Amino acid sequence: MDLPPGAPVPTGDGSRARRPAIPGDRLTLGRRIRHFRTARSMTLDQLARETGTAPSQLSLIENGHREPRLSLLGEIATALHVEVADLIAPEPPSRRAALEIALDRAQRSQAYTGLGLPAVRPSRGMPLEALEALVGLHAELDRRERQSIATPEEARRANTELRLWMRERDNYLPAIEQVGEDMARAAGYTVGALTHRAVARMAAQLGFQILHVDDLPHSTRTVTDLEGGRIYLPPASIPGGHGLRSLALQAIGHRVLGHDRPVSYADFLRQRLEINYFAASCLMPRSAALEFLGAAKRAKDLAIEDFRDAFGVTHEAAAHRFTNLATSELGLPVHFLRVDDDGALSRGYENDGVGFATDPTGSIEGQHVCRHWAARVALSRHDRTTEFHQYTDTPEGTFWCTAQTGVSDAGQFSITIGVPFAHASWFRGRDTKLRTQSRCPDPSCCRRPDTALAARWSDHSWPSARLHAQVLSPLPQGTFPGVDDAEVYAFLDRHATQSPPDQPR
């Protein structure tokens, strides 16, 4: 399965990681050998003589630094009058041994070694309470380390790495495509929009019931009760809405794709990408989507608004889904932009060479989009009922674009799909007479003020800038970044004791 950065991968030779010659963990094995040796009041020297091994080698084995040969393990078991199975059992031999193993592992971690502090070697005389305290402190340090999963710069770099990884694959993940298609078909999907009933069936196939509640924790989009088999969504106030179907499918996606709890911000971003892709592959299954788009291409009448309406999704969802299929299945290089009304790019993808502005980390989010690009021109139009079409001459070539605008709680935005000039012939709107020229990133294009106006006003103006709150916001923390665990657990406990309301499924 083709997976993004951060996902488990096979070994270089195409196989999974090789099993060790001796099952189990070296530290636990070593502590069990020491436990049985000391129980028989044997010294290392005595065990060394009986097994024909140097005491230093046995010391390395007992401390988990070396794995014994199977033949030596048999000799050790014979000398200690136990079975080999007793030595390789997976559990520590005692509570103290378990604490010593936990302390050893914690002190070998990168977080601890990076502090430059000496390792504590527990002696026989160290009280059990002291070991408990040391292990507890390390556990708390590890928890706090995991809470601050990434700095904003690390998060942006992780997001950039994921975007570039997807570009290498033309934004297409065939394994997830197949999973989404199979599940939708198994739930009764045939053609057109995926119904809420079909989504409920998909959840039921996994043993879950979808419930709509009006007290969903404010820091969450959905909450899944893995024990009770419930997926909680916001109230179904707008029947038939694309948003609730997509949210339910994203929650289902975590289960279908076998996600574990994210261990880094990169892992969190990868999982978000995968569940969004899964939801799109269910709402617009590959075979049905390609049948629709293929017919439109043959008629030279491709239009995102038609694709949107045919599957009952948002314009943004249709445009983004189009990028999944455009290159791999339709042979069209493409770019996608979501641009806010202040001209900042909030989401983007390209494999057609259009060239987005980037920051030093390679990130495109938040970067300025040229005022002459269709994404910006569309926001200045008065008539926004239909898609806007435009050709733009840029330093990278001429591109044809189709854009549509929308409004969110944060303000207006535009959604744009574009292709190089040579591929415009497949789209409705290719006959537009609108054409602009962009010289960006040359600052004289649209960033540098008019010379006469600058001379007139530069010394006679004092604008009060709007504060961009996100600049001061800390990166969300937690295993699931930004989620208030206390609120979520209280919510789950409250609903776990209630009988589910009768809701259409």
Side-chain angles (χ1 to χ4, degrees):
M1 178 173 176
D2 202 9
L3 292 177
V9 295
T11 56
D13 61 0
S15 65
R16 295 292 177 181
R18 294 183 179 134
R19 291 177 59 85
I22 298 172
D25 159 70
R26 287 189 302 184
L27 265 176
T28 303
L29 172 64
R31 291 304 189 276
R32 292 189 71 83
I33 292 174
R34 179 181 294 172
H35 170 78
F36 288 113
R37 177 177 62 79
T38 56
R40 294 190 61 80
S41 301
M42 290 183 69
T43 65
L44 269 177
D45 289 337
Q46 290 172 328
L47 182 58
R49 282 196 297 272
E50 293 206 23
T51 58
T53 308
S56 60
Q57 298 301 309
L58 290 177
S59 179
L60 289 172
I61 292 169
E62 288 192 351
N63 287 304
H65 296 301
R66 177 167 294 181
E67 184 179 86
R69 302 183 311 277
L70 197 56
S71 58
L72 175 58
L73 193 64
E75 293 169 358
I76 292 174
T78 300
L80 297 178
H81 300 284
V82 297
E83 300 295 327
V84 170
D86 295 323
L87 298 182
I88 64 175
E91 64 277 355
S94 65
R95 171 62 179 162
R96 184 181 184 89
L99 289 170
E100 290 179 355
I101 291 170
L103 180 61
D104 192 300
R105 286 177 177 155
Q107 292 180 148
R108 294 186 191 186
S109 71
Q110 186 176 357
Y112 185 79
T113 56
L115 297 174
L117 297 174
V120 176
R121 302 299 178 195
S123 62
R124 286 187 183 181
M126 177 179 284
L128 190 65
E129 293 80 5
L131 269 174
E132 294 269 12
L134 284 171
V135 171
L137 284 172
H138 277 287
E140 177 62 15
L141 285 172
D142 181 69
R143 185 189 70 81
R144 296 190 180 192
E145 176 78 12
R146 290 180 180 274
Q147 269 197 334
S148 300
I149 291 178
T151 66
E153 181 179 336
E154 288 170 335
R156 290 173 71 82
R157 289 186 186 278
N159 192 51
T160 297
E161 181 182 356
L162 193 56
R163 176 174 57 82
L164 296 177
W165 188 91
M166 288 297 290
R167 186 174 68 181
E168 291 173 359
R169 287 151 183 78
D170 293 323
N171 221 31
Y172 185 69
L173 299 178
I176 297 181
E177 290 281 356
Q178 191 62 54
V179 172
E181 173 103 16
D182 290 347
M183 287 206 66
R185 296 294 182 185
Y189 175 83
T190 53
V191 68
L194 184 74
T195 64
H196 282 268
R197 174 68 173 162
V199 175
R201 288 197 193 102
M202 293 170 71
Q205 290 169 5
L206 300 173
F208 288 93
Q209 180 183 8
I210 295 174
L211 299 175
H212 298 277
V213 294
D214 57 9
D215 62 339
L216 198 70
H218 76 282
S219 61
T220 65
R221 303 163 76 231
T222 67
V223 175
T224 301
D225 178 354
L226 300 176
E227 181 182 72
R230 297 176 176 181
I231 296 174
Y232 295 102
L233 299 180
S237 56
I238 307 177
H242 154 265
L244 291 176
R245 287 179 291 147
S246 182
L247 285 177
L249 289 168
Q250 289 171 35
I252 292 170
H254 281 301
R255 312 274 63 81
V256 173
L257 300 176
H259 288 165
D260 295 320
R261 291 175 179 269
V263 296
S264 66
Y265 205 81
D267 197 29
F268 168 74
L269 292 176
R270 174 185 62 82
Q271 291 186 7
R272 284 293 295 270
L273 180 147
E274 289 185 351
I275 62 172
N276 284 328
Y277 198 110
F278 170 77
S281 69
C282 294
L283 289 166
M284 294 160 275
R286 175 182 172 277
S287 59
L290 286 178
E291 183 177 354
F292 181 88
L293 293 172
K297 185 186 178 189
R298 288 190 295 273
K300 295 189 174 182
D301 195 33
L302 282 170
I304 301 302
E305 59 186 356
D306 289 355
F307 189 38
R308 170 198 69 198
D309 296 343
F311 290 89
V313 296
T314 66
H315 199 89
E316 180 173 3
H320 205 275
R321 181 62 172 148
F322 182 78
T323 69
N324 298 145
L325 304 171
T327 306
S328 293
E329 303 292 348
L330 301 174
L332 301 173
V334 67
H335 67 265
F336 164 93
L337 302 90
R338 176 180 167 131
V339 176
D340 298 331
D341 57 2
D342 62 357
L345 181 65
S346 59
R347 190 172 302 134
Y349 166 78
E350 57 82 22
N351 69 353
D352 61 355
V354 68
F356 295 141
T358 63
D359 68 10
T361 69
S363 177
I364 61 175
E365 289 74 19
Q367 296 302 299
H368 165 80
V369 173
C370 179
R371 294 179 189 274
H372 303 301
W373 283 22
R376 297 287 300 278
V377 177
L379 286 166
S380 65
R381 291 194 310 148
H382 294 294
D383 179 12
R384 301 185 180 182
T385 56
T386 60
E387 288 187 276
F388 170 74
H389 309 115
Q390 173 185 301
Y391 288 97
T392 308
D393 298 321
T394 79
E396 308 301 331
T398 298
F399 295 86
W400 175 89
C401 297
T402 176
Q404 181 61 281
T405 60
V407 179
S408 68
D409 293 339
Q412 299 182 76
F413 63 94
S414 68
I415 300 296
T416 303
I417 285 288
V419 295
F421 178 86
H423 297 276
S425 60
W426 304 107
F427 291 83
R428 183 190 308 162
R430 61 188 177 276
D431 55 353
T432 179
K433 303 302 181 185
L434 292 173
R435 190 163 188 153
T436 63
Q437 184 176 25
S438 168
R439 298 188 306 279
C440 281
D442 183 342
S444 67
C445 177
C446 61
R447 299 285 295 196
R448 185 180 295 160
D450 179 83
T451 304
L453 292 178
R456 170 71 178 86
W457 291 107
S458 62
D459 293 331
H460 302 285
S461 60
W462 193 285
S464 180
R466 182 176 64 182
L467 178 65
H468 294 274
Q470 68 271 18
V471 174
L472 303 177
S473 299
L475 192 71
Q477 295 182 333
T479 302
F480 302 97
V483 171
D484 184 335
D485 288 341
E487 187 181 24
V488 170
Y489 298 157
F491 165 84
L492 285 171
D493 195 62
R494 183 167 62 251
H495 282 272
T497 59
Q498 300 175 1
S499 297
D502 293 331
Q503 299 189 34
R505 297 185 59 192

